[in-house]
Amino acid sequence: MKVLVLGAGQLARMMSLAGAPLNISISAYDVNSDAIVHPLTQQQLGTGLTKAIADADVVTAEFEHIPLPVLALCQASGKFFPGETAIKAGGDRRLEKQLLDSAGVRSAAYHIVNNEADFKQAIQQLGLPLVFKSALAGYDGKGQWRLKQPEQAAALWQDIAAFLATDQQQAIVAEQFIPFQRELSLIGARNAKGQLQVYPVTENHHVNGVLSVSLAVAGNESLQQQAQQMFSAVANQLNYVGVLAIEFFEVDGQLLVNEIAPRVHNSGHWTQQGADVCQFEQHLRAVCGLPLGSTALVRPSLMVNILGEDTVPQPILALPGLHLHWYGKTKRAGRKMGHINVSAADTAQLKQRFLQLIALLPESAFPELTQMAQRLN
């Protein structure tokens, strides 16, 4: 079976690695260059989206910010999963909020801001503190502003107004600031028959708005049930096919949806070593009409992102339960270059191995890891 992935980054790369044992061939479409490339070697295989769609059995995506003409062409083929509606919702916070409302899923109270009057109304209606997020093209903490004090409002509006002036399609979603205890996520899959499989709830730690560590351990039954109910509501509302990620805030034992990602997700990379069927294979199974696989946690696992570094100390490879995954990228500050997965027989052993890893990694390149290690008791 042939699958065309919109996007030629690390997620397409890992789909290709996961698909090979199932005889699923992956090609990737670079939306910026119109080139069809091999996701592992980046060798150019051709150009032109129309022919690539015709040659593929299934079309899917590794990211949300896809030009609308590309989405429309893929949707018209009848081969595109999870589909245009889901991808648009993942790439536009306005549509995302509408989706969550329609699905009856809790999220932060919000107000759409298109002009100064909307800005003032958001402050009056929602109160302070507020978080303002760009409706389009916001990711990894980019395109966000915080308003804590009334006297900061005028200056903040000038920044937002200048941002809005750069793109007539852009808008701002103002949200109540959520004083959360933890950031969590749930990765799951739904197939065309409506069958669902979800992985364990994952705890995430961010540094400067970018995911640093994801931790998957057993024992969050109450949160797992809440997250599964919300996942089911959103996936069914979209008639979703594929892997879907939902990010949550935990507030006093209750979950609020932060955002959705209609694709395989950074916080699910631990599934490569912590589950029988990883999220990349699971996505391919769903979109290709194959049976969904087990999502059970086989062993406690965690993932550490490698950001802006193209080397790591070689001694880490001697650590038991450690797997290193590079993305084949050129080094750039802050860029996601790879990740490290660590697994163990139980939580105590996972903490021990994580601390051994932390001791070998330079703190300047891997800050705040000990904060997550302290979560392992």
Side-chain angles (χ1 to χ4, degrees):
M1 184 168 284
K2 297 180 181 180
V3 175
L4 175 68
V5 179
L6 302 181
Q10 67 263 21
L11 301 181
R13 174 189 179 94
M14 286 182 274
M15 276 190 243
S16 182
L17 290 167
L22 295 177
N23 262 352
I24 297 174
S25 174
I26 309 290
S27 58
Y29 175 70
D30 186 330
V31 300
N32 297 312
S33 67
D34 195 42
I36 313 301
V37 301
H38 191 286
L40 296 179
T41 65
Q42 294 296 302
Q43 177 186 359
Q44 185 164 328
L45 305 176
T47 58
L49 181 58
T50 301
K51 183 177 186 303
I53 293 172
D55 289 343
D57 299 300
V58 171
V59 181
T60 190
E62 68 152 12
F63 75 120
E64 305 93 294
H65 305 294
I66 298 170
L68 297 184
V70 172
L71 283 181
L73 190 61
C74 292
Q75 186 67 23
S77 72
K79 302 176 181 180
F80 186 36
F81 302 105
E84 183 179 34
T85 299
I87 298 296
K88 284 182 175 178
D92 187 330
R93 295 186 193 277
R94 294 164 293 188
L95 298 178
E96 180 182 60
K97 284 292 191 180
Q98 293 171 13
L99 167 66
L100 297 175
D101 289 345
S102 298
V105 170
R106 297 185 301 273
S107 69
Y110 70 97
H111 189 78
I112 306 299
V113 175
N114 294 294
N115 50 50
E116 188 174 9
D118 292 337
F119 177 77
K120 292 178 178 178
Q121 187 176 356
I123 296 172
Q124 182 179 11
Q125 178 180 316
L126 301 175
L128 299 183
L130 288 175
V131 180
F132 295 87
K133 302 178 180 179
S134 62
L136 303 171
Y139 62 96
D140 287 344
K142 297 179 176 65
Q144 295 190 14
W145 302 260
R146 290 191 179 186
L147 179 59
K148 298 178 181 180
Q149 303 297 332
E151 58 268 23
Q152 299 170 335
L156 182 64
W157 168 247
Q158 294 304 314
D159 286 346
I160 292 177
F163 175 79
L164 290 174
T166 63
D167 184 354
Q168 292 185 347
Q169 303 302 314
Q170 188 64 269
I172 300 294
V173 177
E175 290 185 348
Q176 283 183 334
F177 176 77
I178 303 298
F180 58 89
Q181 283 85 45
R182 291 192 295 175
E183 294 181 76
L184 307 171
S185 61
L186 185 77
I187 312 295
R190 183 182 185 276
N191 64 18
K193 297 178 181 178
Q195 297 168 332
L196 301 172
Q197 286 277 22
V198 299
Y199 293 95
V201 167
T202 302
E203 180 176 353
N204 303 312
H205 180 68
H206 293 76
V207 177
N208 298 322
V210 182
L211 181 64
S212 172
V213 181
S214 290
L215 169 65
V217 296
N220 292 319
E221 291 308 317
S222 174
L223 295 178
Q224 183 76 23
Q225 185 175 8
Q226 287 185 57
Q228 286 185 209
Q229 290 173 345
M230 293 182 178
F231 178 90
S232 178
V234 172
N236 289 332
Q237 180 72 23
L238 287 169
N239 195 25
Y240 198 88
V241 176
V243 161
L244 169 70
I246 303 183
E247 298 181 13
F248 302 96
F249 295 132
E250 181 190 358
V251 184
D252 299 329
Q254 298 296 310
L255 296 182
L256 292 173
V257 173
N258 176 29
E259 61 185 30
I260 69 167
R263 53 174 171 81
V264 290
H265 192 260
N266 197 175
S267 69
H269 291 354
W270 65 265
T271 62
Q272 291 171 306
Q273 271 71 51
D276 282 334
V277 177
C278 73
Q279 64 166 341
F280 304 101
E281 180 181 335
Q282 194 77 277
H283 182 72
L284 293 174
R285 287 180 178 226
V287 300
C288 293
L290 301 174
L292 298 180
S294 171
T295 51
L297 181 69
V298 174
R299 50 186 182 162
S301 300
L302 61 84
M303 181 228 48
V304 177
N305 263 339
I306 303 173
L307 302 173
E309 301 291 324
D310 58 1
T311 62
V312 292
Q314 285 190 358
I316 73 170
L317 292 172
L319 296 177
L322 185 141
H323 292 262
L324 178 61
H325 300 262
W326 288 113
Y327 303 156
K329 292 181 176 181
T330 302
K331 182 178 179 178
R332 189 173 70 222
R335 194 179 198 187
K336 292 178 181 177
M337 301 291 294
H339 68 270
I340 302 164
N341 285 340
V342 183
S343 299
D346 54 42
T347 304
Q349 188 181 68
L350 183 64
K351 182 175 184 177
Q352 179 188 27
R353 292 178 176 179
F354 190 24
L355 290 172
Q356 289 176 322
L357 172 64
I358 292 170
L360 293 171
L361 294 174
E363 186 177 359
S364 59
F366 296 88
E368 301 184 18
L369 295 187
T370 53
Q371 294 186 21
M372 282 300 283
Q374 292 168 3
R375 306 288 300 180
L376 289 162
N377 295 313

